[in-house]
């Protein structure tokens, strides 16, 4: 065994204790070759990217591998580059190969003329990596590398890129790392791939461009066996890595299989997936299956933008708004949460169209809307046309990532981008937790006001707060330092406004409402009091709100440990039932508003990253923590 060359597969991931699927595939496929088995032994090094750099370098050098294989992504590439440089200096004769979407077709950027022992894999890795290892066994390995498709490397000062490697059409040629003993049970998160490829060519994404429209499938029985392995090994979180879960008809049955395995073995507890773009009914059925099994409780809808000019520029089509509205109503009836994913700013989008699009989503019953930053990813269509599109970027993610955030386009100046970010934070605080849901809904229906006008006014209100205001300071810091690159940033903002600074935020909402022309309406004041009672809690131990000045329109009869008993005058009941799902309206208008739902308690010993991740997940499925309004005295479900 000691005479075998060591191959070290390196994954520097976002999450702890996650199955290194790319490494597992590479090892499982390579070891089907008898020559590789006789020449190499494999080890894996997996840690989170935030692990101290010095520790990672010390461990990799100490591994004394002959071949180092790194998985490279936008979130770890800054770290990978510095680690590779340190490994190269300490082990000048080691072979290093880089793979992953960040380095594909980027040999001139990531390779050095003075280093002929580092290569890049361009495309799917299994075949190219195996052929690469076989070439290294030859006495004239340098010459043999020219015969391996899908590689880039330097020879005699010239960059060599060999022809593309054909995609693997028969995915079952890759043995399962779950079922062949490559993986053990020491994981909390499992990554599952049931197919590869994406039929779309969205301009901001490399997935479809890399896979040429073709979606190849793993055998269904193999997939079912892998799911059973995950369940039997009590892995709590399952990430389905397919680009469009719900696109294939079998996805519904596989989803049922996941829930059956979870029922039999107690795991997984949570399932995450990227929903099929134009199969909303199938995705709704899948989400319902998972929700019924308490595995997931929110349906993702990836719209990215509603602006037709932008959709045309990024080669994307969305479901019709009429269909979207019908789906949202169906989800509401079934008590299934959903969240809409947007990207700000995309080419062709303007500040006005972004605000207008958010307003349109609200008009069509969107529960939660998240506007993610636009990452300029290598090799995407927008990347290749960035100059023509006027793309301006800034770095984000510190020295661990290699992220470039788009902060300007031909249609959006840097100042307009910044205004759009303030608009989203204001919207995120006001709409996603339903802070003024019934009020705004009434204003839009009765006075013709637009949703975006209220959110814009609230953004301006927040920007007028003093420099010592912690909520404004959070937004300013996030925008100035591009902290929104980290998805936990949005969750921490919710943690701030609904827990840490909840009392202050409640006062902000009250003062904002009182400063508006529409506040003089008695109806608005009553609906404001309803919204006060209805605003959810992310944690089960956040102190309950108590109206400092009492209620003027409603009667607060009792304040329980996690509930209110309140009487709503008859003239306000229609707006209440229109805005909030209520099964039974009591004749006397007396409700118990119960906030004891599916929240976990806040634990001060947990990290802020943990709080951010938790709150982001909770706001995506906010319907599961919204209070239940039921006739007073009736048992709460």
């Amino acid at each position: 065994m000691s005479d075998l060359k060591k191959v070290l597969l390196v994954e520097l991931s976002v999450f702890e204790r996650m199955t290194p699927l790319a490494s597992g595939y590479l090892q499982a496929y390579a070891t089907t070759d008898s020559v590789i088995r006789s020449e190499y032994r494999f080890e894996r090094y997996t840690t989170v990217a935030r692990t101290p750099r010095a520790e990672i370098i010390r461990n990799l050098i100490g591994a004394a591998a002959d071949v180092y294989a790194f998985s490279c992504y936008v979130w770890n590439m800054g770290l990978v580059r510095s680690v590779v440089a340190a490994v190269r200096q300490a082990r000048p004769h080691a072979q290093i190969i880089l793979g992953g979407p960040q380095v594909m077709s980027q040999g001139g950027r990531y390779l050095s003329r003075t280093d002929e022992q580092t290569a890049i894999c361009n495309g799917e890795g299994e075949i190219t990596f195996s052929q690469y290892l076989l070439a290294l066994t030859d006495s004239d390995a340098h010459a043999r590398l020219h015969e391996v498709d899908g590689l880039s490397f330097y020879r005699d000062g010239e960059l060599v890129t060999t022809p593309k490697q054909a995609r693997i059409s028969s995915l079952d040629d890759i043995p399962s790392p779950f079922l062949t003993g490559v993986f053990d049970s020491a994981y909390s998160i499992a990554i599952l791939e049931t197919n590869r490829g994406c039929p779309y060519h969205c301009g901001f994404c490399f997935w479809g461009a890399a896979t040429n429209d073709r979606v190849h499938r793993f055998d269904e029985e193999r997939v079912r066996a892998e799911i059973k392995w995950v369940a039997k090994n009590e892995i709590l979180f399952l990430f389905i890595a397919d680009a469009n879960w719900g696109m294939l008809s079998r996805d519904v049955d596989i989803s049922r299989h996941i829930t059956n395995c979870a029922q039999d073995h107690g795991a997984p507890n949570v399932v995450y997936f990227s929903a099929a773009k134009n199969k909303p009914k199938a995705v709704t059925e899948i989400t319902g299956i998972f929700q019924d099994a308490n595995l997931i409780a929110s349906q993702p809808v990836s719209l990215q933008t509603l602006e037709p000019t932008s959709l045309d520029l990024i080669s994307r089509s969305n479901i019709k708004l009429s269909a979207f509205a019908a789906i949202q109503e169906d989800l509401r009836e079934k008590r299934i949460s959903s969240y809409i994913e947007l990207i700000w700013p995309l080419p062709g989008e303007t500040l006005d169209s972004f605000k207008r699009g958010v307003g349109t989503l609200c008009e069509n019953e969107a529960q939660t809307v998240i506007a993610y930053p636009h990452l300029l990813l290598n090799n995407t269509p927008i990347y290749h046309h960035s100059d023509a599109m006027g793309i301006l970027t800034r770095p984000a993610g510190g020295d661990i990532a290699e992220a470039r955030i788009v902060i300007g386009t031909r249609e959006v100046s840097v100042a307009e981008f910044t205004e759009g970010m303030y608009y989203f934070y204001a919207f995120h605080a006001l709409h996603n937790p339903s802070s003024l849901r019934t009020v705004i809904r009434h204003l839009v229906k009765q006075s013709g006001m637009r949703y975006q006008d209220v959110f814009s006014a609230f953004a301006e209100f927040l920007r007028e707060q003093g420099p010592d205001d912690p909520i404004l300071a959070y937004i300013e810091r996030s925008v100035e330092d591009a902290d929104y690159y980290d998805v936990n940033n949005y969750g921490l903002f919710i943690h701030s406004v609904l827990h840490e600074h909840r009392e202050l935020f409640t006062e902000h909402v009250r003062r904002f409402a009182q400063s508006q022309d529409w506040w003089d309406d008695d109806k608005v004041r009553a609906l404001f009091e309803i919204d006060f009672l209805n605003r959810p809690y992310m944690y089960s131990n956040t102190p309950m709100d108590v109206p400092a000045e009492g209620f003027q329109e409603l009667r607060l009869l009792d304040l329980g440990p996690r509930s209110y008993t309140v009487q709503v005058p008859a003239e306000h009941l229609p707006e209440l039932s229109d805005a909030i799902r209520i099964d039974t309206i009591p004749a006397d208008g007396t409700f118990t508003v119960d906030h004891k739902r599916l929240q976990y308690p806040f634990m001060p010993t947990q990290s802020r990253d943990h709080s951010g991740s938790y709150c982001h997940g909770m706001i995506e499925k906010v319907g599961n923590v919204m209070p239940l309004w039921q006739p007073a005295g009736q048992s709460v479900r």
Side-chain angles (χ1 to χ4, degrees):
M1 180 69 72
S2 60
D3 294 334
L4 299 182
K5 296 179 180 179
K6 181 194 285 190
V7 178
L8 188 65
L9 300 157
V10 183
E11 291 201 34
L12 306 175
S13 62
V14 175
F15 301 108
E16 296 177 350
R17 299 182 64 198
M18 182 171 68
T19 53
L21 189 61
S23 296
Y25 281 147
L26 292 177
Q27 179 178 340
Y29 186 85
T31 52
T32 62
D33 188 280
S34 59
V35 174
I36 291 177
R37 290 199 306 272
S38 67
E39 294 283 341
Y40 296 101
R41 60 190 175 97
F42 291 81
E43 293 183 7
R44 296 185 306 280
Y45 178 78
T46 305
T47 189
V48 290
R50 63 177 178 272
T51 301
R53 190 179 311 251
E55 179 183 333
I56 295 174
I57 292 172
R58 182 171 63 252
N59 290 336
L60 293 184
I61 293 173
D66 300 286
V67 180
Y68 291 86
F70 288 84
S71 294
C72 305
Y73 302 91
V74 65
W75 63 77
N76 70 9
M77 195 61 207
L79 176 61
V80 168
R81 294 182 83 160
S82 62
V83 168
V84 166
V87 170
R88 170 57 68 222
Q89 183 176 10
R91 296 191 57 77
H93 302 296
Q95 300 289 335
I96 297 174
I97 183 168
L98 311 177
Q102 189 67 5
V103 296
M104 292 176 186
S105 307
Q106 298 286 327
R109 181 176 177 181
Y110 294 111
L111 297 175
S112 170
R113 285 184 172 85
T114 61
D115 180 4
E116 296 192 352
Q117 291 172 269
T118 297
I120 282 177
C121 173
N122 301 308
E124 274 182 319
E126 289 85 3
I127 294 176
T128 297
F129 182 61
S130 294
Q131 293 178 350
Y132 166 81
L133 293 179
L134 289 172
L136 295 182
T137 66
D138 196 283
S139 58
D140 189 7
H142 281 191
R144 282 284 307 278
L145 286 179
H146 286 79
E147 302 172 9
V148 178
D149 290 345
L151 282 184
S152 291
F153 52 86
Y154 270 99
R155 282 297 172 268
D156 302 321
E158 297 294 329
L159 179 63
V160 176
T161 296
T162 62
K164 289 184 178 181
Q165 184 75 253
R167 286 185 63 206
I168 302 172
S169 58
S170 180
L171 293 181
D172 293 308
D173 290 344
I174 308 169
S176 168
F178 298 96
L179 307 178
T180 57
V182 173
F183 292 156
D184 55 29
S185 60
Y187 299 102
S188 298
I189 304 170
I191 308 297
L192 177 71
E193 192 177 41
T194 80
N195 65 59
R196 285 187 184 176
C198 180
Y200 307 111
H201 290 102
C202 303
F204 52 84
C205 180
F206 180 55
W207 214 326
T211 53
N212 303 316
D213 296 332
R214 298 296 302 276
V215 176
H216 298 140
R217 310 180 188 188
F218 287 97
D219 177 72
E220 184 172 343
E221 290 308 309
R222 165 189 167 142
V223 171
R224 288 173 174 267
E226 289 181 331
I227 292 166
K228 190 171 183 179
W229 185 96
V230 168
K232 291 179 70 174
N233 283 277
E234 299 180 344
I235 297 178
L236 299 180
F237 300 92
L238 178 64
F239 281 78
I240 300 173
D242 300 1
N244 298 280
W245 187 246
M247 179 179 67
L248 303 180
S249 58
R250 71 178 192 174
D251 294 347
V252 175
D253 289 334
I254 293 175
S255 297
R256 290 195 181 95
H257 178 67
I258 293 172
T259 63
N260 291 338
C261 288
Q263 184 176 14
D264 291 341
H265 301 284
N269 297 152
V270 180
V271 180
Y272 299 93
F273 62 90
S274 296
K277 311 307 183 273
N278 287 304
K279 296 281 188 174
K281 291 185 178 179
V283 175
T284 298
E285 183 176 2
I286 287 170
T287 306
I289 290 169
F290 287 145
Q291 173 158 298
D292 289 344
N294 293 320
L295 295 186
I296 191 172
S298 190
Q299 176 172 331
V301 182
S302 299
L303 294 180
Q304 318 308 2
T305 178
L306 274 67
E307 171 54 41
T309 301
S310 183
L311 289 169
D312 183 60
L313 283 173
I314 64 175
S315 301
R316 185 181 176 88
S317 61
N318 283 334
I319 61 174
K320 293 180 179 180
L321 277 175
S322 57
F324 171 80
I327 291 165
Q328 292 300 117
E329 181 60 29
D330 184 42
L331 291 171
R332 188 183 180 206
E333 289 296 318
K334 295 177 179 177
R335 297 188 184 274
I336 296 176
S337 292
S338 68
Y339 62 95
I340 314 302
E341 296 176 312
L342 301 177
I343 295 176
W344 166 252
L346 287 170
E349 186 87 84
T350 66
L351 176 60
D352 181 65
S353 70
F354 173 61
K355 290 182 176 183
R356 186 172 62 249
V358 170
T360 298
L361 291 173
C362 294
E363 291 169 3
N364 287 275
E365 301 296 332
Q367 295 179 13
T368 297
V369 181
I370 302 295
Y372 292 110
H374 180 186
L375 282 175
L376 184 63
L377 300 177
N378 291 349
N379 305 307
T380 61
I382 292 178
Y383 170 86
H384 291 303
H385 298 92
S386 58
D387 289 342
M389 292 178 171
I391 300 294
L392 299 174
T393 65
R394 61 160 298 170
D399 59 359
I400 293 177
E402 197 178 61
R404 304 293 307 182
I405 299 287
V406 175
I407 59 170
T409 67
R410 195 170 54 195
E411 297 81 14
V412 173
S413 68
V414 174
E416 289 172 325
F417 164 76
T418 300
E419 183 179 341
M421 290 304 303
Y422 275 88
Y423 174 85
F424 173 72
Y425 278 103
F427 167 84
H428 193 32
L430 210 56
H431 173 83
N432 288 340
S434 296
S435 297
L436 281 179
R437 177 177 175 80
T438 53
V439 168
I440 302 175
R441 190 182 180 91
H442 169 76
L443 293 172
V444 169
K445 287 190 172 185
Q446 300 301 318
S447 65
M449 186 174 292
R450 303 184 306 172
Y451 278 96
Q452 57 266 37
D453 293 335
V454 180
F455 302 138
S456 294
F458 189 58
E460 187 61 32
F461 173 85
L462 290 177
R463 296 183 80 167
E464 293 172 352
Q465 304 310 304
D468 296 330
D469 185 273
I471 295 173
L472 175 62
Y474 186 95
I475 299 173
E476 289 179 333
R477 184 171 60 253
S478 298
V479 175
E480 182 177 345
D481 298 339
D483 290 347
Y484 47 80
Y485 161 74
D486 184 349
V487 69
N488 287 342
N489 172 268
Y490 289 161
L492 279 173
F493 186 59
I494 293 298
H495 170 86
S496 176
V497 300
L498 292 186
H499 174 73
E500 185 177 9
H501 301 295
R502 186 182 181 99
E503 186 175 353
L504 173 64
F505 179 68
T506 299
E507 178 65 10
H508 280 349
V509 175
R510 184 186 65 80
R511 289 196 298 110
F512 166 71
Q514 291 177 344
S515 70
Q516 302 301 300
D517 293 340
W518 36 261
W519 178 251
D520 291 335
D521 185 345
D522 290 346
K523 174 72 71 176
V524 167
R525 291 198 294 272
L527 300 182
F528 178 87
E529 293 174 2
I530 288 172
D531 285 327
F532 178 95
L533 297 169
N534 196 55
R535 190 180 312 142
Y537 295 84
M538 296 294 103
Y539 302 100
S540 61
N541 55 353
T542 303
M544 294 283 286
D545 293 328
V546 178
E549 301 174 358
F551 285 148
Q552 305 301 312
E553 305 295 332
L554 277 59
R555 289 183 60 201
L556 181 61
L557 304 177
D558 185 46
L559 176 63
R562 304 304 301 173
S563 67
Y564 303 96
T565 301
V566 62
Q567 187 174 45
V568 180
E571 61 266 28
H572 304 313
L573 291 176
E575 286 82 9
L576 172 64
S577 61
D578 180 55
I580 299 171
R581 168 69 186 261
I582 301 176
D583 294 330
T584 303
I585 302 294
D588 63 354
T590 303
F591 294 88
T592 295
V593 185
D594 196 281
H595 281 273
K596 187 178 181 180
R597 299 297 309 282
L598 299 176
Q599 306 97 325
Y600 288 103
F602 171 67
M603 293 177 284
T605 56
Q606 293 283 9
S607 68
R608 285 185 66 78
D609 275 349
H610 177 275
S611 297
S613 177
Y614 167 78
C615 286
H616 185 69
M618 294 296 277
I619 204 67
E620 285 182 340
K621 48 182 179 283
V622 70
N624 291 276
V625 292
M626 294 299 296
L628 293 177
W629 290 64
Q630 294 197 324
Q634 180 174 317
S635 60
V636 177
R637 290 176 297 144

